[in-house]
Every structure is written in structure tokens, then in C-alpha cells.
Amino acid sequence: MENFLWQKTLLDMYNSFDRNVIMSDNKFNRLVAKSMYNNNTYLLYSEMVSSMTRKNNCMLAKAIVDNALEKLRKTNNNILDFYYRLKLSFKEIAEKEQINIRQVFRNFDKELATFAYYLTEQGYDSTAIMKEFSKDNLFLSNYTRLEIKVNNKAKFSIQMAENYVDEDFNHYKQEPKFAKDDFVFLEAVCD
């Protein structure tokens, strides 16, 4: 049986999509504003493309999840919607739906499978989601976190930016460097 990790990744990230779109826009605007001081146009443009790619990924993922959740709502399957969109706890969902909390857990798993089916209907099975979003470290890190949780392993990591950013251009004689979306990871996994 499939574990629907990529589908769960999109659901887990659902509430952060709007915030990430705004952050990508702000980053793009800062880069444009700084472009008149920067001679390294290739690096600048690659940062701009990276920012807009992240924004587009988040907007696409949100649209995909919204479509599938809407189909679930039409069939009176509201648990995923309550849990991920409204951020209700399982206990609150049980009270709202007037059912036993064990039934909420059972229905949650069934709705997740139905959600995955609706995504597949849209052309986004696990393979397609992975192909579309795994190049973005925001999506990949959330997927990895879920995968470790499913495999009952503890993992901790430290992320450090690859490049230093001189936000105020204090070192105006030197060429400013921009931080990339790529990070250097130091990781440890414990069984």
C-alpha cells in the first residue's frame, strides 16, 4: 500500500503556501532594487529565477490541493479540510462532526487515500508530484521530514547558507554576494 508521502507533503505545507509566495515576491523586489548596484547579472538573474520558481511552485501546489479538497468537501468528507485548512485538532473535529475520535482517525486515512486519488485524477500521482516539486528544497525538506517520521527515525540537521549576503553593501569595494536557496546540510539520523 502506498504511503502518500508526497500528497501529505503538499497538505502539510498548505498553510505556508501564501506566506512563501509573499516572501518570494519580497525577495524578487529586493533583488530588483539592488540590481543597479550589482555588476554580476548572471548571479542576480539566477536568484530572480529561483525566487519566481519557488513562487510558481507554491501557487501551483496550492491550486492542486484546493481542487482536491473541494472535491472532498462536495462528498461531505471534511476531515482533511478541517485538519489542514482550518487547523482543527482531531478532538475538535470529533466534536464538530459529533463522532468518536477513533472514527476521525479512520476517516482521516480514508480521506487521505481519496485525496491522493483526486490528485491522480488531476495528473498528480506521487511520481508526478515528485517530478514537479522535488527540485525545490522547500518541498524536498518537508518530504524528507515526513519520510523520517514514517520510518520512526529521529533526525536533526543544521542548515547554513552557502554564501554570505552583504545586505547594506558595507563592503562596496567588493562585489556583493547573494545567498542561494541551496544550503549546506549537516545531518545525523538516529534509529
Side-chain angles (χ1 to χ4, degrees):
M1 182 176 161
E2 188 174 4
N3 60 12
F4 308 120
L5 282 180
W6 276 107
Q7 291 85 346
K8 286 181 190 175
T9 300
L10 295 183
L11 281 169
D12 277 359
M13 296 177 65
Y14 181 79
N15 285 320
S16 70
F17 290 143
D18 291 332
R19 185 176 61 243
N20 280 304
V21 166
I22 292 168
M23 288 171 36
S24 294
D25 278 341
N26 290 341
K27 180 179 178 182
F28 183 82
N29 292 336
R30 280 193 317 272
L31 290 169
V32 169
K34 291 179 182 180
S35 66
M36 63 184 147
Y37 303 111
N38 188 2
N39 294 331
N40 191 346
T41 55
Y42 176 76
L43 184 59
L44 179 68
Y45 290 137
S46 68
E47 287 292 317
M48 289 176 168
V49 167
S50 172
S51 177
M52 289 299 100
T53 302
R54 161 94 26 101
K55 176 183 174 180
N56 290 339
N57 283 343
C58 288
M59 289 174 24
L60 175 62
K62 184 166 176 42
I64 292 166
V65 172
D66 278 339
N67 288 339
L69 287 177
E70 184 60 32
K71 285 184 177 183
L72 280 171
R73 279 193 295 272
K74 286 180 181 177
T75 60
N76 290 328
N77 292 311
N78 298 319
I79 293 174
L80 288 181
D81 189 47
F82 290 154
Y83 187 75
Y84 287 106
R85 193 174 61 80
L86 300 178
K87 291 294 190 184
L88 297 179
S89 69
F90 287 118
K91 183 179 179 183
E92 292 168 330
I93 294 169
E95 291 169 1
K96 186 173 180 106
E97 293 288 303
Q98 298 177 345
I99 57 176
N100 188 321
I101 195 163
R102 283 186 224 148
Q103 190 62 40
V104 171
F105 288 121
R106 281 187 225 117
N107 290 351
F108 181 86
D109 290 337
K110 289 176 187 175
E111 285 187 28
L112 185 59
T114 306
F115 174 80
Y117 173 75
Y118 289 149
L119 289 183
T120 302
E121 276 186 342
Q122 295 180 55
Y124 289 98
D125 60 354
S126 291
T127 306
I129 295 171
M130 182 180 71
K131 190 175 188 180
E132 184 75 36
F133 299 109
S134 67
K135 293 180 183 97
D136 189 330
N137 66 1
L138 177 70
F139 289 85
L140 190 58
S141 64
N142 278 284
Y143 173 82
T144 304
R145 180 183 53 80
L146 284 175
E147 184 179 42
I148 289 166
K149 192 175 178 182
V150 166
N151 293 331
N152 294 323
K153 294 182 179 178
K155 177 180 180 179
F156 61 92
S157 63
I158 300 170
Q159 296 181 356
M160 299 182 306
E162 216 175 335
N163 295 320
Y164 170 75
V165 179
D166 186 9
E167 292 283 337
D168 301 323
F169 297 105
N170 292 333
H171 307 298
Y172 58 89
K173 292 181 183 177
Q174 299 173 359
E175 184 176 325
K177 297 177 183 173
F178 293 93
K180 294 187 178 260
D181 282 342
D182 300 323
F183 289 91
V184 175
F185 287 96
L186 304 174
E187 299 180 336
V189 177
C190 306
D191 288 333

